[in-house]
Amino acid sequence: MFHLVLTTCFAGILCYASEPDVDYISAERCLHQGAILSGLARAQLNFPRMEQTSRIACSGIDGSTQTVYVGHAGTEAPAFPEDVLSLPTLD
C-alpha cells in the first residue's frame, strides 16, 4: 500500500499540502492520483499566470518512496519548504 502527500507551490511563495486518507495498491496509481489532484487544485485556485510546481510524493509501507515534480519540465526540481505553512525568508 502507498500513501500520497501532495505539495503545490505558487511562485515559490504560497505553498499548501494535502494528504488524502486513501491508500493505493501501487506507486504508479498513487502518483497518477497525485497528478490528477494537482491539476484540479491548480484549476480551482485559478492562478494561470503564476508559476506553479507540485511535488507528488508516494511512500510505501515497506519504506520505499517515489517523488515526481510537475510544472518544472526540463529544469531542476525546486526547493520545497519542509513546513509548507511557513513562508520562505531571506538570510
Side-chain angles (χ1 to χ4, degrees), residues 4-10 16-18 20 24 30-47 52-57 68-72 80:
L4 168 67
V5 176
L6 173 65
T7 305
T8 300
C9 288
F10 295 87
Y16 71 93
S18 60
Y24 303 93
C30 180
L31 294 170
H32 184 253
Q33 184 64 31
I36 292 171
L37 292 174
S38 172
L40 288 173
R42 292 170 187 214
Q44 290 172 350
L45 287 174
N46 198 24
F47 292 147
Q52 306 167 14
T53 305
S54 295
R55 177 175 65 187
I56 303 167
V68 171
Y69 293 89
V70 177
H72 255 4
F80 276 78

Side-chain angles (χ1 to χ4, degrees), residues 46-68:
N46 198 24
F47 292 147
R49 295 183 181 174
M50 190 178 286
E51 182 181 332
Q52 306 167 14
T53 305
S54 295
R55 177 175 65 187
I56 303 167
C58 293
S59 58
I61 58 174
D62 62 354
S64 63
T65 60
Q66 288 194 27
T67 302
V68 171

